[in-house]
Amino acid sequence: MSAYAMLTDTTLCIGCEACVDACKKVNGLGPDRLWPEQKAIDDLSATRYTTILRRPGPRYVRQQCRHCVDPACASACLVGAMHKTPEGPVVYDSGRCMGCRYCMVACPYGIPRYDWNKAVPYVRKCTMCYDRLKAGKLPACEEACPEKATIFGEREALLKVARQRLRDNPRKYVQRIYGETEVGGTSVLMISDIPLDFLAWKPRLADQPLPQLTWAALSKVPPVVIGVGGLMAGIYWVIGRRMKMQALAAAAAEQAAQAAEDPRAGEKGRE
Amino acid sequence: MNQRLRIVKSILWALVGVWTVVSVGRFAHGLGPSTGLSNAAPWGLWIAFDVLGGVALAAGGFVLAAVVYIFGIERYRPLVRPAILTAFLGYVAVAVGLVYDLGLPWHIWHPMIYPQDHSVLFEVAMCVMLYLTVLALEFAPVVLEHPLFSHPFFRGVHTLLKKSTIWLVIAGIILSTLHQSSLGSLFLIVPYRLDPLWYTPIIYILFFISAVGLGLATLIMESLASGWLFGHRMRKDLLSRLGLAASVVLGLYVLVRLADLARHGLLARAFDGSWQANLFLFEMGIGFVLPCILLAVPRLRTSLPGLATGSFLVIFGVVLNRFTVSILAFAKPPGVTYFPTWPELAVSLGVVSGATLIFIFFVEHLKVYSEDDHAHPGEPGYIKPWRPSFDPATLHGLTPEWLAGPRRYSLVAIAGASLAVGLLPRGMLTKPEPLRTPVARARTVEAMQVDHGRGKRVEFRLVGSDAGAPAGVKTVPVMLIDGDRNGRIVFFPHDEIAEKLGGDTACAECHHLNLPFDRNTACAACHCDMYEEADIFNHATHIDHLNGNAGCGRCHDDPSRVKSRATATACVQCHADMIAVEPFLDKSQKETMTGLAPGYMNAMHDLCVACHELKVKENPNEYPASFAQCDFCHGESENIDLQRLGPYVALDKDGANGAATPGRNGID
């Protein structure tokens, strides 16, 4: 079984925000409020896991967690609260979370949001309705979409659908499946007639999964432990031994000096 | 105790007082009200200064331990105890600062039970936890020397710890090497957010080298400061040698960093005049190259001002580097900035003050410094006992004897705390509230006005997304009214009509102006937030306020009849005071009012249509019949998409339109 994924075709989206409503209902999120740390009320927030971004045209681009195949947030999380499930969704375990917000720092798409105004805050983001998936249901947003702009299925199958659409309408679409390969691929795929580079921190994300970048440093830990430990112990031993020798030599020299002053003592020393 | 120490302690206690109050606010209602953090800037001062800076500042401990215990350079031994104590308290301060920054600090121990070994932060957390333990064990013998611990058991522990010193030192060096560098590795995962002048695959090497340099500089600074504070003799020879070492380390840092930039072809970018380039040049010049030179020149290195300046610049440079990496050069969406709030600053200062007070306590009660550290009269560094007749900082001379010692410090701490209570931002002690949006601006967008001539519908078109309005076309602010929330919007040039009706005094022409018992309420007092679901009559609110189902009878008072709007009690029967004094409606209509609240759409119709009809009746020459017909306001807009702007149109603070500018989103 290939992992599940979602495909959003922005050319089909009419911007009705039925997905947003459905998401709010299923996750019990309540109304959006404008807080000081938020730029606009329809930005992603702790009460809005998905939103529709308006682009010139008008075009409607859905923003949500991309559920990376090799997620930076999960690799950043020191307690494994962010976790890539075999089914595809990246889920969050509030019982483990410490609230360090490294996942928010690490995300290449800037998705996770925080309960800034709660005394017991959690990280908030789309979970691809993982609980519903386990119960055999579809993600709420997919079910709610009246235009089938977002569809759900196995990742491989959706990639085929996307490729087919790009082939059928080569002049309409930007010839790229967003999420196919960048940062190692994502489980939320997007195709569009406008470039969707604005959804990430940098226009062109490389294909290399971000966790590999940290692993390059992290994998050096065991050699550093052995190397530094060995080096320090070695230097300690060498210098300690040299100082002992010096002390002995100094003592011998002192003895010799004494012997020079006092021939009798010197004779004794020689014996 | 000398006068200097007394003043310093008074200041520190005042800062601790401020800190305690801010702490209550921080944990009462979360990070939002007390910090400047946001979704786009999730890490701020507490990570940059308290954690990244704090750990690097405390690097002196492992550096000096290596120098004395591993390399056997005995002349630095007098500096070991204060260095270990500083490092220990530094790491305690890091841990305390982290407690403030973590959203769920009571889960701080979770890395031990839920290890995730692919996380750099996990490695850092474990190393810091272990190194804090190592430092505690390294310093424990000093505590156990106190007469309080004369029991043979403690003596045994003391001996054991003394014997295992070298192993503790080696463990400390390994752990420090790991986490000092790994704090840099934290940023390896953000190649797309951190500016390329700071992002490099070898950032951990840079973090480690700079931490060693900073550790040496902190040792110098700490010696100078405690010498100044406690009247120790200045060990200029030792400190200037440390300065030379710091200079070498800094030189190495500069070389490695420039070579790395050159390798990635980024040297030119450092001089391209962008703010990032200038920040880079400032950081490297002031924080690394300048102190490297200062501490390399023997004449400067051996003078106290030269040493102090050099080591201060190193501290400034490295801490600035940590700020840059975690905040300044860290990408944020346009328009989002992070600036620490004063409570954030108060916590950082408070934690440092607390740690310094504990340091002073240990110095006063334990043998952190040896007897011959103290300068005698005539030696450099000696502090003359000084008792002024009156001293405002310590209240000496003014206060009676009973206000000495602990009582004085309690007093300044309480004064600091009271000051903080007065200055605490809203939402830190009270429940945080969402921003309020003035109603006039909440649904206002900029639109092009197309006038089709006398009596014809004035057409509004929203300004196009990219180009803005074509040159020469007049734009006006219009409110988007969607009373029945069916997605079809009426463009209402509120300001223009308000002006026509008499400017600022004309609100009453259309709006109620009364709260109960009040005859002069500002419009904005009621209509402060149009994002909330609020029609003229909100049934749900009434159910809430009238005790749920038990309250139906309050309005639907005849049980024999259907419960509908038509059969309900008139609103005025309860809300007599909310009837407008100067309703716009003409007298005849006022008499036909049922006293029942209209829905939003009806209210709008009654207000607008009535006025339009009146104008046509009074002045048919200027206002033809079409002025009072549906189409005048409800002309179908060409721009269908914009009918769906819904309740989410907001003006930014500077008056520029937010939502009508496509492209605004969380990132780009």
Side-chain angles (χ1 to χ4, degrees), chain B residues 516-517 542 546 553-555 569-579 595:
Chain B
F517 312 113
H542 281 75
L546 297 175
R554 287 286 293 279
C555 301
T569 308
C571 302
V572 280
Q573 292 197 358
C574 305
H575 298 288
D577 292 324
M578 290 173 88
I579 294 299

Side-chain angles (χ1 to χ4, degrees), chain B residues 322-560:
Chain B
R322 303 305 191 253
F323 267 88
T324 314
V325 169
S326 63
I327 298 175
L328 297 173
F330 201 71
K332 291 169 203 63
V336 174
T337 48
Y338 165 78
F339 198 81
T341 57
W342 81 256
E344 278 180 276
L345 214 58
V347 167
S348 288
L349 283 175
V351 172
V352 173
S353 304
T356 314
L357 282 171
I358 298 174
F359 184 89
I360 294 173
F361 174 85
F362 278 158
V363 169
E364 283 171 347
H365 293 88
L366 301 168
K367 279 189 199 155
V368 175
Y369 293 97
S370 62
E371 281 307 317
D372 63 273
D373 278 330
H374 288 280
H376 299 293
E379 278 180 315
Y382 174 71
I383 303 175
K384 263 186 262 167
W386 176 60
R387 294 188 69 79
S389 51
F390 171 68
D391 174 39
T394 58
L395 303 181
H396 169 74
L398 183 74
T399 50
E401 268 311 297
W402 62 265
L403 196 60
R407 286 202 181 97
R408 176 192 298 121
Y409 299 131
S410 311
L411 194 70
V412 282
I414 290 168
S418 333
L419 186 72
V421 170
L423 292 175
L424 222 51
R426 275 187 61 191
M428 275 186 72
L429 290 183
T430 53
K431 197 172 154 38
E433 301 258 336
L435 286 185
R436 305 193 130 204
T437 316
V439 63
R441 293 274 159 256
R443 291 162 167 268
T444 302
V445 297
E446 203 66 25
M448 293 185 285
Q449 185 174 333
V450 186
D451 204 335
H452 290 300
R454 192 182 72 91
K456 295 243 178 70
R457 190 162 72 87
V458 178
E459 199 178 313
F460 292 103
R461 283 190 209 148
L462 290 175
V463 174
S465 42
D466 297 318
V473 175
K474 181 184 162 199
T475 65
V476 289
V478 292
M479 278 177 78
L480 306 176
I481 297 177
D482 178 15
D484 54 359
R485 293 171 207 283
N486 69 351
R488 291 183 52 185
I489 285 165
V490 168
F491 298 105
F492 178 66
H494 177 273
D495 297 1
E496 190 188 320
I497 288 178
E499 203 56 47
K500 273 188 188 157
L501 293 176
D504 286 342
T505 57
C507 299
E509 295 282 305
C510 302
H511 300 288
H512 308 271
L513 275 185
N514 292 70
L515 280 175
F517 312 113
D518 182 358
R519 297 195 155 246
N520 192 21
T521 307
C523 306
C526 307
H527 298 276
C528 57
D529 194 346
M530 288 291 278
Y531 293 136
E532 304 222 21
E533 275 184 58
D535 292 340
I536 296 287
F537 173 74
N538 192 333
H539 192 243
T541 305
H542 281 75
I543 293 175
D544 282 352
H545 284 224
L546 297 175
N547 197 16
N549 286 343
C552 300
R554 287 286 293 279
C555 301
H556 303 286
D557 53 358
D558 185 349
S560 67

Side-chain angles (χ1 to χ4, degrees), chain A residues 134-157:
Chain A
K134 277 197 298 191
K137 288 192 264 187
L138 292 168
C141 54
E142 197 271 359
E143 219 170 61
C145 183
E147 301 292 318
K148 291 284 157 247
T150 293
I151 53 176
F152 177 84
E154 292 189 358
R155 191 165 184 271
E156 290 309 315

